[in-house]
Amino acid sequence: MSYYERHIFFCLNERAPGEASCSQHGAEAAFAHCKQRVKAEGLAGPGGVRVNRAGCLDRCAGGPVAVVYPEAVWYTFVDASDIDEIVSSHLKGGQVVDRLVLAPEVGR
Amino acid sequence: MSYYERHIFFCLNERAPGEASCSQHGAEAAFAHCKQRVKAEGLAGPGGVRVNRAGCLDRCAGGPVAVVYPEAVWYTFVDASDIDEIVSSHLKGGQVVDRLVLAPEVGR
């Protein structure tokens, strides 16, 4: 059994001014919102959900991005309501949010 | 299929002086060594292996720690030869390095 049932990693990579990166597209706010929602829903901790900071996940063309393991489902998101849906549907209910899934060809 | 066949996250969390954290126990050097080994073996990239920075993974009592997904195998390590074994055995060959696996009860 996995230590965390689901482990979501947010790319919070910062680049020099002038270069695009997830952190310039609301990733930090999305991470903080996700962490707060997961805690509020009572999902946080071993056997539950861990919301994690990560460095560059190298799929920058789709940024901001996050990945949920062990399912290896990749998301892109725009606002807090997208995060709410990932939390309630996927992290809580195990149901992938198809409309937010990153296209397979999106890379660096 | 998973975007990366295997995705390893190293906890590189830094705490204030006087508090224990993975980064005070060689995590940064282990991360850099792993990244270099994976590249040298030709494993890096989509369809292969991604070596990633992460914030606190919240299993600090076993630090330094890293986790390999999608298998959700957690490791603790001491030196570069431990990392070499994780790369050659697990990341390349798919064989878990049992002697380095973190005990299931190790938490924060």
Side-chain angles (χ1 to χ4, degrees):
Chain A
M1 205 201 54
S2 188
Y3 185 75
Y4 299 119
E5 189 185 21
R6 296 195 175 88
H7 201 165
I8 182 168
F9 293 88
F10 282 82
C11 178
L12 298 174
N13 197 41
E14 271 188 73
R15 293 233 177 82
E19 293 182 276
S21 59
C22 286
S23 69
Q24 290 165 342
H25 291 85
E28 185 77 36
F31 164 76
H33 184 70
C34 187
K35 208 162 175 81
Q36 179 262 314
R37 287 301 311 143
V38 162
K39 200 170 172 185
E41 292 274 357
L43 303 172
V49 172
R50 173 78 182 167
V51 181
N52 225 95
R53 292 178 174 279
C56 183
L57 297 170
D58 219 24
R59 299 191 70 181
C60 318
V65 300
V67 58
V68 180
Y69 282 112
E71 295 97 318
V73 171
W74 290 76
Y75 289 114
T76 183
F77 45 84
V78 170
D79 55 23
S81 73
D82 288 345
I83 299 299
D84 290 343
E85 197 172 340
I86 292 169
V87 172
S88 61
S89 176
H90 190 166
L91 300 182
K92 186 173 184 178
Q95 198 66 37
V96 173
V97 185
D98 291 325
R99 72 175 185 89
L100 299 175
V101 168
L102 202 56
E105 70 278 9
V106 173
R108 184 188 301 188
Chain B
M1 204 199 56
S2 188
Y3 185 76
Y4 298 119
E5 189 185 23
R6 296 195 177 87
H7 201 165
I8 182 168
F9 293 87
F10 282 82
C11 178
L12 298 174
N13 197 42
E14 271 187 74
R15 293 233 178 82
E19 294 181 276
S21 59
C22 286
S23 67
Q24 291 164 344
H25 292 87
E28 186 76 37
F31 164 77
H33 184 70
C34 188
K35 206 159 178 84
Q36 180 261 315
R37 287 302 310 143
V38 162
K39 200 170 173 185
E41 293 275 355
L43 303 172
V49 173
R50 173 76 183 167
V51 181
N52 225 96
R53 292 178 175 278
C56 183
L57 298 170
D58 218 24
R59 300 192 70 183
C60 319
V65 300
V67 57
V68 181
Y69 283 112
E71 295 97 319
V73 171
W74 290 77
Y75 288 115
T76 184
F77 47 82
V78 169
D79 55 23
S81 74
D82 289 344
I83 300 298
D84 289 343
E85 198 172 339
I86 291 169
V87 172
S88 61
S89 177
H90 189 167
L91 300 181
K92 187 174 185 179
Q95 198 66 37
V96 174
V97 184
D98 291 325
R99 73 175 186 89
L100 299 176
V101 168
L102 202 55
E105 71 279 9
V106 173
R108 184 188 302 189

